[in-house]
């Protein structure tokens, strides 16, 4: 009887310990997530900088402590060698000093340029989770989210465009976007989860669903991380194939 009690206690303790030490990361590995960035170098990626840049690629993107450090200058990007379709992409990012701008592109196609045809999941401080349809890319997004001043820009779900009392210098109407905050304070890590399934793209920022588009004209393409004028750090760039 004592032996059975000891065995039962051991079993409960083992199950409890297992529950405490279980993590989502373990699920990701079991479910087939694969690092797109190996934490050491840019194997599997190419770097493109704007045509008039000095093309010193080793300065714009560097690897430090398993992270991608991007200076933001000059304009350019890191682009995967391979195309991907039907996947969940996870990327963590932070702006190390002050608010900045960048983006994650999916379904990238066509020649290298600033900027190639794709869907941009925005990373600009305060606007992470917006969609930009780049270089004529076509995708259906709720019309209520469309920027009255920029037809290819769609704000997050639930956000509203409010007309500013003052016009821009060219005399155009200006709009402010009002909505909930989803990003963490500058300097802290944020996470994107971008699901591309068939012709649908869904954006999740810090575990909050923030945007969705359907009827995308492409269902696969390369993946891109932007250099767009401000220092930014990326880490844990992982992909989970859905097919």
């Amino acid at each position: 009887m004592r032996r059975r009690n000891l065995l039962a206690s051991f079993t409960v303790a083992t199950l409890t310990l297992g529950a405490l030490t279980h993590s989502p990361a373990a699920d990701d590995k079991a479910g087939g997530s694969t690092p797109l960035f190996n934490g050491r170098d840019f194997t599997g990626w190419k770097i493109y900088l704007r045509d008039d840049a000095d093309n010193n690629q080793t300065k714009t993107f560097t690897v430090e402590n398993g992270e991608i450090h991007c200076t933001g200058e000059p304009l350019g990007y890191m682009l995967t060698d391979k195309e991907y379709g039907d996947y969940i992409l996870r990327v963590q990012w932070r702006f190390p000093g002050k608010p900045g701008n960048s983006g994650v592109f999916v379904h990238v196609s066509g020649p290298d340029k600033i900027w190639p045809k794709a869907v941009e999941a925005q990373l600009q401080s305060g606007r992470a989770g917006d969609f930009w349809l780049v270089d004529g890319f076509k995708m259906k997004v709720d019309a209520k989210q469309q920027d009255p001043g920029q037809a290819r820009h769609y704000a997050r779900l639930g956000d509203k465009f409010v007309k500013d009392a003052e016009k821009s210098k060219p005399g155009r109407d200006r709009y402010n976007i009002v909505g909930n905050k989803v990003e963490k304070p500058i300097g802290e890590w944020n996470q994107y989860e971008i699901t591309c399934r068939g012709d649908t793209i869904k954006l999740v920022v810090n575990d909050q669903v923030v945007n969705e588009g359907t009827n995308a004209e492409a269902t696969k393409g390369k993946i891109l991380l932007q250099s767009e004028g401000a220092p930014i750090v990326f880490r844990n760039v992982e992909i989970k194939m859905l097919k």
Side-chain angles (χ1 to χ4, degrees), residues 101-105 120-124 224-226 228 234:
N101 196 8
S102 185
V104 179
F105 286 28
E120 177 183 2
Q122 177 67 277
L123 284 180
Q124 181 179 356
L224 176 158
L225 303 179
Q226 272 188 318
E228 198 181 7
F234 299 99

Side-chain angles (χ1 to χ4, degrees), residues 3 12 37 44 53 100 109 111 113 123 129 136 150 158 163 170 199 237:
R3 184 175 178 181
V12 170
F37 167 59
S109 65
K113 61 180 180 177
L123 284 180
Q150 282 278 7
K163 186 183 289 188
D199 65 0
V237 184

Side-chain angles (χ1 to χ4, degrees), residues 221-237:
K222 297 182 179 181
I223 296 168
L224 176 158
L225 303 179
Q226 272 188 318
S227 169
E228 198 181 7
I232 187 171
V233 186
F234 299 99
R235 71 177 184 184
N236 296 335
V237 184

Side-chain angles (χ1 to χ4, degrees), residues 1 12 49 78 108 143 154 157 171 173 184 201 215:
M1 191 72 172
V12 170
L49 304 178
M78 290 175 51
V108 180
Y154 294 83
L157 292 166
D173 288 332
K184 296 181 181 179
I201 301 175
N215 297 332

Side-chain angles (χ1 to χ4, degrees), residues 125-143:
S125 296
R127 297 308 322 155
D130 286 7
F131 277 130
W132 283 84
L133 305 185
V134 183
D135 198 33
F137 193 101
K138 292 179 176 58
M139 183 173 69
K140 184 179 179 181
V141 186
D142 192 327

Side-chain angles (χ1 to χ4, degrees), residues 158-172:
D159 287 0
K160 295 181 179 180
F161 290 92
V162 179
K163 186 183 289 188
D164 199 313
E166 297 182 2
K167 294 184 179 293
S168 65
K169 288 184 179 180
R172 298 173 182 170

Side-chain angles (χ1 to χ4, degrees), residues 14-75:
T14 301
L15 291 172
T16 303
L17 179 61
L20 290 172
T21 57
H22 182 76
S23 69
D27 284 339
D28 288 345
K29 290 178 181 178
S33 288
T34 303
L36 283 181
F37 167 59
N38 63 23
R40 301 182 304 275
D41 55 37
F42 297 121
T43 299
W45 299 78
K46 66 176 287 186
I47 294 174
Y48 174 81
L49 304 178
R50 69 185 186 202
D51 291 341
D52 59 344
D54 64 8
N55 252 354
N56 192 344
Q57 299 174 353
T58 58
K59 291 183 179 179
T60 303
F61 291 96
T62 57
V63 178
E64 300 177 31
N65 300 318
E67 303 166 348
I68 301 167
H69 287 247
C70 174
T71 64
E73 296 289 348
L75 296 180

